[in-house]
């Protein structure tokens, strides 16, 4: 089936159907979980041809696996990519991409607000092998363009960012990157392919933590990279050797989760917008970060490049970290956990979750207030979530004053 020609306006259908035909087995309507590590061949010549990639098939599940391939194909189609390859986690996808694209002496340009693990790669691991990572102020597109113009091998973007929901203009920055021959990579975890397609805006590669919205049920880790076939081929080759392969059971759970991706994201977009508006008007709330609010710094860019604004928002209470600490235990309709993007609302304080690896100084540099609360909205009835926040905020007022 040529799903690629049918993308526009059909993402809900693609989320359900794409990628699954090849992997069906004996008429089963669902993709099987192929736990086999190896694949047998009577004919040594056929085996050899599969190994050389001259005929379809699988050899060894660290390299390819039918369940994993179905997951990769679904993401590939939803992102409108030429090729896709998957990983055991989002960080495996990001680090493998960077270690494939970069060599000692290369320069990478990115922004200060990226996911904490990605930031650690930039600040700790890449410099160890002689790769310079220049991190610009996230809201300053001119500064990013200036640094890119000095030359770089990779321009790495994340939009919206975790956890301050800043938005980068992908088309504008991709153009700047291509002017100097850089590979433009975008982490699309927060937006998902339902809300935003970075490749259509000029990016070369898209990475995802599939652990989040793609899977959507907080029960499987995974990562994926998709985009230009020549680049994905190299990244796949690196993954064959570093071994950070996605496991079949996780691939199945992610694949099943993705069937409801469009439905979930639509609901999470609506819920998050309502909650952002509620928090914005609340007297105890200092600031709300959500790209769908007209007060958001990059609202115009977000409207231009996103179809919806996503299920994550963050906010800071007037009482700082003490108030955030008082708020979390009072919430009844939210897991207090490090994850995001699940069907259940999940809440965390970046200081103790996504950016726990960073020092207070680094968090300040990334513009993350110590009392910031990251709120990943689930698919619950939004009035229940608002009522929950309301009662919790009353208790915070009583305890912190
Ligand atoms: N990218 C973003 C934007 C994330 O939020 C995360 C995790 O929170 C990652 C990458 C890393 O993904 P994983 O936890 O699957 O390794």
């Amino acid at each position: 089936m040529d799903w690629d020609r049918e993308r526009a306006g059909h993402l809900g259908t693609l989320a359900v159907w794409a990628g699954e035909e090849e992997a069906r087995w004996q008429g089963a309507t669902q993709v099987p979980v192929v736990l086999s590590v190896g694949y047998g061949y009577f004919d040594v010549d056929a085996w050899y041809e599969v190994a050389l990639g001259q005929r379809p098939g699988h050899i060894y599940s660290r390299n390819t696996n039918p369940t994993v391939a179905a997951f990769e194909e679904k993401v590939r189609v939803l992102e409108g990519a030429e090729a896709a390859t998957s990983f055991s986690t989002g960080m495996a996808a990001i680090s493998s991409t960077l270690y494939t694209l970069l060599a000692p002496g290369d320069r990478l340009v990115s922004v200060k607000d990226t996911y904490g693990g990605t930031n650690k790669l930039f600040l700790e691991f890449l410099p160890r092998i002689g790769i310079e990572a220049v991190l610009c102020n996230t809201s300053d597109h001119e500064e990013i363009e200036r640094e890119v113009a000095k030359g770089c091998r990779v321009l790495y973007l994340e939009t919206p960012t975790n956890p301050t929901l800043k938005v980068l203009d992908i088309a504008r920055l991709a153009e700047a990157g291509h002017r100097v021959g850089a590979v433009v990579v975008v982490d699309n975890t927060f937006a998902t392919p339902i809300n935003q397609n970075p490749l259509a805006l000029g990016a070369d590669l898209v990475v995802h933590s599939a652990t989040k919205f793609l899977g959507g049920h907080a029960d499987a880790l995974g990562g994926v990279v998709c985009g230009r076939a020549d680049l994905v081929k190299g990244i796949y080759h690196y993954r064959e050797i570093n071994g950070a392969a996605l496991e079949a059971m996780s691939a199945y759970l992610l694949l099943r989760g993705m069937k409801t991706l469009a439905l979930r994201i639509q609901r999470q977009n609506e819920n998050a917008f309502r909650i952002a508006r509620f928090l914005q008007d609340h007297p105890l709330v200092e600031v709300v970060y959500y790209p769908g609010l007209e007060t958001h710094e990059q609202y115009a860019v977000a409207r231009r490049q996103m179809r919806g604004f996503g299920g994550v928002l963050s906010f800071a209470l007037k009482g700082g970290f003490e108030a955030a600490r008082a708020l979390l235990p009072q919430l009844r309709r939210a897991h207090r956990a490090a994850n995001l993007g699940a069907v259940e609302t999940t809440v965390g304080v970046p200081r103790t979750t996504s950016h726990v690896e960073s020092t207070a100084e680094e968090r300040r540099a990334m513009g993350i207030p110590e009392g910031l609360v990251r709120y990943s909205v689930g698919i619950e009835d939004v009035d229940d979530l608002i009522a929950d926040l309301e009662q919790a905020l009353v208790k915070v007022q009583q305890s912190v004053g």
Side-chain angles (χ1 to χ4, degrees):
M1 180 75 71
D2 187 0
W3 295 111
D4 293 305
R5 280 194 295 136
E6 298 190 24
R7 287 188 65 254
H10 302 281
L11 292 172
T13 308
L14 297 181
V16 173
W17 288 98
E20 308 215 353
E21 303 92 337
E22 291 274 314
R24 296 235 175 94
W25 186 65
Q26 297 207 348
T29 60
Q30 302 306 311
V31 171
V33 184
V34 179
L35 295 172
S36 184
V37 165
Y39 304 81
Y41 293 87
F42 285 110
D43 180 347
V44 172
D45 293 332
W47 184 356
Y48 186 52
E49 282 168 25
V50 173
L52 292 178
Q54 291 169 352
R55 71 153 77 184
H58 304 278
I59 301 281
Y60 186 59
S61 282
R62 192 183 73 227
N63 303 340
T64 66
N65 165 287
T67 317
V68 171
F71 164 72
E72 290 168 343
E73 179 61 4
K74 201 184 275 296
V75 179
R76 184 194 73 73
V77 172
L78 282 170
E79 284 290 13
E82 286 173 9
T85 192
S86 61
F87 296 84
S88 52
T89 63
M91 278 317 299
I94 294 166
S95 57
S96 300
T97 299
L98 296 178
Y99 283 119
T100 304
L101 297 176
L102 294 161
D106 281 344
R107 187 165 181 269
L108 166 143
V109 174
S110 188
V111 291
K112 286 183 179 154
D113 313 54
T114 51
Y115 168 62
T118 310
N119 184 263
K120 271 281 143 194
L121 267 179
F122 295 155
L123 295 180
E124 187 178 336
F125 292 96
L126 295 183
R128 275 192 203 175
I129 54 167
I131 295 162
E132 185 194 2
V134 180
L135 304 187
C136 304
N137 287 309
T138 309
S139 309
D140 191 343
H141 283 67
E142 283 80 19
E143 183 189 344
I144 302 169
E145 283 170 330
R146 264 197 314 277
E147 286 300 335
V148 168
K150 291 179 192 165
C152 61
R153 173 85 186 110
V154 171
L155 170 60
Y156 185 96
L157 308 174
E158 180 181 313
T159 181
T161 59
N162 181 1
T164 46
L165 285 302
K166 293 195 179 118
V167 169
L168 291 163
D169 187 333
I170 298 172
R172 172 176 167 179
L173 296 174
E175 210 179 301
H178 291 152
R179 253 181 255 134
V180 296
V183 175
V184 179
V185 184
V186 178
D187 183 331
N188 203 28
T189 300
F190 268 42
T192 81
I194 303 303
N195 283 334
Q196 169 176 284
N197 292 123
L199 300 174
L201 296 164
D204 300 298
L205 290 170
V206 164
V207 294
H208 278 279
S209 167
T211 316
K212 309 294 177 337
F213 289 100
L214 294 188
H217 294 73
D219 56 5
L221 292 162
V224 64
V225 179
C226 56
R228 260 173 53 191
D230 58 327
L231 299 172
V232 171
K233 191 173 171 196
I235 297 163
Y236 162 72
H237 178 57
Y238 181 75
R239 197 218 62 209
E240 282 187 293
I241 304 311
N242 82 2
L246 181 63
E247 189 259 335
M249 192 62 212
S250 298
Y252 176 78
L253 291 169
L254 297 172
L255 194 65
R256 186 174 65 167
M258 281 186 70
K259 292 188 193 215
T260 55
L261 183 67
L263 267 183
R264 286 187 281 109
I265 298 302
Q266 212 171 3
R267 172 81 161 208
Q268 285 165 310
N269 286 342
E270 288 165 14
N271 282 1
F273 183 70
R274 284 270 314 274
I275 291 169
R277 294 290 289 268
F278 160 77
L279 289 169
Q280 198 176 33
D281 293 339
H282 198 284
L284 280 193
V285 176
E286 176 92 47
V287 62
V288 182
Y289 299 114
Y290 187 63
L293 293 177
E294 284 174 23
T295 49
H296 188 281
E297 245 190 312
Q298 303 290 346
Y299 177 66
V301 178
R303 290 234 16 199
R304 201 164 57 237
Q305 72 185 16
M306 301 179 81
R307 290 180 286 268
F309 303 109
V312 185
L313 56 95
S314 59
F315 59 96
L317 297 179
K318 286 189 176 142
F321 184 65
E322 287 312 309
R325 186 156 53 192
L327 176 79
L328 261 59
Q330 302 301 338
L331 291 168
R332 297 183 191 132
R333 296 285 174 264
H335 286 304
R336 283 144 285 256
N339 193 37
L340 62 91
V343 290
E344 303 97 357
T345 293
T346 308
V347 65
V349 182
R351 168 175 145 157
T352 60
T353 58
S354 62
H355 289 71
V356 68
E357 305 263 337
S358 308
T359 61
E361 181 89 356
E362 285 166 351
R363 282 192 294 271
R364 205 174 8 258
M366 287 183 256
I368 300 171
E370 294 293 283
L372 192 73
V373 176
R374 188 184 68 194
Y375 192 87
S376 172
V377 186
I379 62 166
E380 301 92 336
D381 293 308
V382 68
D383 290 336
D384 293 334
L385 297 178
I386 290 176
D388 189 33
L389 281 161
E390 208 156 23
Q391 64 79 28
L393 285 165
V394 168
K395 296 208 180 99
V396 171
Q397 188 149 35
Q398 286 161 357
S399 68
V400 179

Short mmCIF file of all heavy atoms in Angstrom, two decimals, residues 88-92 94 115 118 156 158 160-162 187 189-190 208-212 221-223 338-340 354 374, ligand 1:
data_model
loop_
_atom_site.label_atom_id
_atom_site.label_comp_id
_atom_site.label_asym_id
_atom_site.label_seq_id
_atom_site.Cartn_x
_atom_site.Cartn_y
_atom_site.Cartn_z
N SER A 88 16.25 1.44 21.39
CA SER A 88 15.73 0.98 22.68
C SER A 88 15.11 2.12 23.50
O SER A 88 14.20 1.89 24.30
CB SER A 88 16.86 0.35 23.49
OG SER A 88 17.96 1.24 23.53
N THR A 89 15.59 3.34 23.32
CA THR A 89 15.05 4.51 24.03
C THR A 89 15.22 5.75 23.15
O THR A 89 15.95 5.71 22.16
CB THR A 89 15.82 4.81 25.36
OG1 THR A 89 17.18 5.13 25.00
CG2 THR A 89 15.81 3.65 26.33
N GLY A 90 14.61 6.83 23.59
CA GLY A 90 14.80 8.10 22.88
C GLY A 90 16.25 8.55 22.96
O GLY A 90 16.81 9.05 21.98
N MET A 91 16.87 8.40 24.12
CA MET A 91 18.27 8.82 24.26
C MET A 91 19.20 7.99 23.37
O MET A 91 20.20 8.50 22.87
CB MET A 91 18.73 8.75 25.73
CG MET A 91 18.32 9.95 26.57
SD MET A 91 18.51 11.58 25.80
CE MET A 91 20.27 11.66 25.49
N ALA A 92 18.87 6.72 23.18
CA ALA A 92 19.68 5.89 22.27
C ALA A 92 19.55 6.44 20.85
O ALA A 92 20.53 6.48 20.09
CB ALA A 92 19.24 4.43 22.33
N ILE A 94 18.87 9.57 19.99
CA ILE A 94 19.54 10.88 19.89
C ILE A 94 21.07 10.70 19.90
O ILE A 94 21.77 11.25 19.06
CB ILE A 94 19.08 11.80 21.05
CG1 ILE A 94 17.60 12.14 20.86
CG2 ILE A 94 19.92 13.07 21.11
CD1 ILE A 94 16.93 12.76 22.07
N TYR A 115 15.95 18.69 26.16
CA TYR A 115 15.74 17.68 27.20
C TYR A 115 17.06 17.49 27.98
O TYR A 115 18.15 17.54 27.38
CB TYR A 115 15.28 16.37 26.54
CG TYR A 115 15.33 15.20 27.50
CD1 TYR A 115 14.54 15.19 28.64
CD2 TYR A 115 16.19 14.14 27.28
CE1 TYR A 115 14.61 14.14 29.53
CE2 TYR A 115 16.26 13.08 28.16
CZ TYR A 115 15.47 13.10 29.29
OH TYR A 115 15.54 12.06 30.18
N THR A 118 19.77 15.17 26.63
CA THR A 118 20.39 15.70 25.41
C THR A 118 21.40 16.77 25.78
O THR A 118 22.52 16.81 25.26
CB THR A 118 19.30 16.30 24.49
OG1 THR A 118 18.25 15.34 24.36
CG2 THR A 118 19.84 16.67 23.14
N TYR A 156 20.96 21.14 15.79
CA TYR A 156 20.05 20.27 16.53
C TYR A 156 18.99 21.11 17.23
O TYR A 156 19.31 21.96 18.06
CB TYR A 156 20.84 19.45 17.57
CG TYR A 156 19.98 18.43 18.28
CD1 TYR A 156 19.94 17.11 17.86
CD2 TYR A 156 19.18 18.80 19.36
CE1 TYR A 156 19.13 16.18 18.49
CE2 TYR A 156 18.37 17.89 19.99
CZ TYR A 156 18.35 16.58 19.56
OH TYR A 156 17.53 15.66 20.19
N GLU A 158 14.97 21.32 19.18
CA GLU A 158 13.88 20.61 19.86
C GLU A 158 12.77 21.62 19.98
O GLU A 158 12.99 22.74 20.46
CB GLU A 158 14.38 20.16 21.25
CG GLU A 158 13.32 19.41 22.06
CD GLU A 158 13.85 19.02 23.45
OE1 GLU A 158 14.98 18.49 23.54
OE2 GLU A 158 13.13 19.26 24.43
N PRO A 160 8.21 21.90 20.50
CA PRO A 160 8.45 22.72 21.68
C PRO A 160 9.45 22.05 22.62
O PRO A 160 9.59 20.84 22.61
CB PRO A 160 7.08 22.80 22.36
CG PRO A 160 6.09 22.47 21.29
CD PRO A 160 6.78 21.51 20.38
N THR A 161 10.10 22.88 23.44
CA THR A 161 11.17 22.35 24.29
C THR A 161 10.62 21.79 25.60
O THR A 161 9.55 22.18 26.05
CB THR A 161 12.20 23.45 24.62
OG1 THR A 161 11.51 24.53 25.29
CG2 THR A 161 12.87 23.98 23.37
N ASN A 162 11.40 20.93 26.18
CA ASN A 162 11.10 20.31 27.46
C ASN A 162 11.98 21.01 28.51
O ASN A 162 13.21 20.92 28.39
CB ASN A 162 11.45 18.82 27.38
CG ASN A 162 11.16 18.06 28.65
OD1 ASN A 162 10.67 18.61 29.61
ND2 ASN A 162 11.48 16.78 28.64
N ASP A 187 14.02 17.25 17.37
CA ASP A 187 13.34 16.36 18.32
C ASP A 187 11.87 16.76 18.32
O ASP A 187 11.51 17.85 18.76
CB ASP A 187 13.97 16.52 19.72
CG ASP A 187 13.37 15.57 20.75
OD1 ASP A 187 12.19 15.19 20.59
OD2 ASP A 187 14.07 15.21 21.71
N THR A 189 9.38 15.07 19.82
CA THR A 189 8.68 14.30 20.86
C THR A 189 7.45 15.01 21.39
O THR A 189 6.38 14.41 21.54
CB THR A 189 9.65 14.03 22.04
OG1 THR A 189 10.76 13.29 21.56
CG2 THR A 189 8.98 13.26 23.16
N PHE A 190 7.58 16.31 21.69
CA PHE A 190 6.46 17.02 22.32
C PHE A 190 5.30 17.26 21.34
O PHE A 190 4.16 17.25 21.74
CB PHE A 190 6.94 18.37 22.90
CG PHE A 190 7.36 18.27 24.34
CD1 PHE A 190 8.09 17.18 24.79
CD2 PHE A 190 7.01 19.25 25.25
CE1 PHE A 190 8.48 17.09 26.13
CE2 PHE A 190 7.38 19.17 26.59
CZ PHE A 190 8.11 18.08 27.03
N HIS A 208 12.47 10.99 17.96
CA HIS A 208 11.39 10.92 18.95
C HIS A 208 11.81 10.06 20.12
O HIS A 208 12.42 9.00 19.92
CB HIS A 208 10.17 10.18 18.36
CG HIS A 208 9.29 11.02 17.52
ND1 HIS A 208 8.34 11.86 18.05
CD2 HIS A 208 9.19 11.12 16.17
CE1 HIS A 208 7.70 12.45 17.07
NE2 HIS A 208 8.20 12.03 15.91
N SER A 209 11.39 10.47 21.31
CA SER A 209 11.31 9.51 22.39
C SER A 209 9.93 8.88 22.22
O SER A 209 8.91 9.50 22.55
CB SER A 209 11.41 10.21 23.75
OG SER A 209 11.02 9.29 24.75
N ALA A 210 9.88 7.66 21.69
CA ALA A 210 8.60 6.98 21.46
C ALA A 210 7.96 6.59 22.78
O ALA A 210 6.76 6.28 22.85
CB ALA A 210 8.82 5.75 20.58
N THR A 211 8.77 6.59 23.83
CA THR A 211 8.32 6.32 25.20
C THR A 211 7.16 7.24 25.59
O THR A 211 6.35 6.90 26.44
CB THR A 211 9.50 6.62 26.16
OG1 THR A 211 10.70 6.07 25.61
CG2 THR A 211 9.27 6.10 27.54
N LYS A 212 7.11 8.41 24.98
CA LYS A 212 6.16 9.45 25.39
C LYS A 212 4.84 9.32 24.61
O LYS A 212 4.17 8.33 24.73
CB LYS A 212 6.82 10.82 25.21
CG LYS A 212 8.20 10.92 25.87
CD LYS A 212 8.07 10.84 27.36
CE LYS A 212 9.36 10.85 28.15
NZ LYS A 212 10.60 10.45 27.55
N LEU A 221 9.53 1.56 26.57
CA LEU A 221 10.57 2.51 26.19
C LEU A 221 10.87 2.34 24.71
O LEU A 221 10.82 1.22 24.19
CB LEU A 221 11.85 2.23 26.98
CG LEU A 221 11.83 2.48 28.49
CD1 LEU A 221 12.99 1.73 29.14
CD2 LEU A 221 11.90 3.96 28.80
N GLY A 222 11.23 3.43 24.05
CA GLY A 222 11.62 3.30 22.65
C GLY A 222 12.03 4.64 22.07
O GLY A 222 11.74 5.70 22.64
N GLY A 223 12.75 4.58 20.96
CA GLY A 223 13.14 5.80 20.25
C GLY A 223 13.13 5.54 18.77
O GLY A 223 13.15 4.38 18.33
N ALA A 338 8.23 10.92 36.45
CA ALA A 338 9.16 11.59 35.53
C ALA A 338 8.69 11.53 34.08
O ALA A 338 9.21 12.23 33.23
CB ALA A 338 10.54 10.95 35.64
N ASN A 339 7.72 10.70 33.81
CA ASN A 339 7.32 10.49 32.42
C ASN A 339 6.37 11.59 31.93
O ASN A 339 5.93 12.44 32.70
CB ASN A 339 6.64 9.12 32.32
CG ASN A 339 6.46 8.69 30.90
OD1 ASN A 339 7.33 8.94 30.06
ND2 ASN A 339 5.35 8.06 30.59
N LEU A 340 6.07 11.57 30.65
CA LEU A 340 5.05 12.47 30.10
C LEU A 340 4.46 11.81 28.86
O LEU A 340 4.98 10.81 28.37
CB LEU A 340 5.65 13.83 29.77
CG LEU A 340 6.78 13.89 28.73
CD1 LEU A 340 6.24 14.13 27.33
CD2 LEU A 340 7.75 14.98 29.07
N SER A 354 13.19 15.72 34.84
CA SER A 354 13.89 15.79 33.55
C SER A 354 15.24 16.49 33.63
O SER A 354 16.13 16.22 32.84
CB SER A 354 13.00 16.51 32.52
OG SER A 354 12.75 17.84 32.92
N ARG A 374 5.92 20.79 35.61
CA ARG A 374 5.59 20.33 34.25
C ARG A 374 4.36 19.45 34.36
O ARG A 374 4.33 18.50 35.15
CB ARG A 374 6.76 19.55 33.65
CG ARG A 374 6.52 19.23 32.17
CD ARG A 374 7.62 18.39 31.62
NE ARG A 374 7.63 17.07 32.19
CZ ARG A 374 8.63 16.20 32.08
NH1 ARG A 374 9.70 16.54 31.42
NH2 ARG A 374 8.56 15.01 32.64
N1 LIG B 1 13.55 13.98 24.03
C1 LIG B 1 12.61 14.55 24.81
C2 LIG B 1 11.98 15.83 24.36
C3 LIG B 1 12.25 13.95 26.02
O1 LIG B 1 11.31 14.53 26.78
C4 LIG B 1 12.89 12.75 26.42
C5 LIG B 1 12.56 12.11 27.71
O2 LIG B 1 11.90 12.67 28.56
C6 LIG B 1 13.86 12.21 25.60
C7 LIG B 1 14.16 12.83 24.40
C8 LIG B 1 14.58 10.94 25.97
O3 LIG B 1 13.77 9.84 25.75
P1 LIG B 1 13.90 8.42 26.52
O4 LIG B 1 13.52 8.67 27.95
O5 LIG B 1 12.95 7.53 25.79
O6 LIG B 1 15.32 8.00 26.40
#
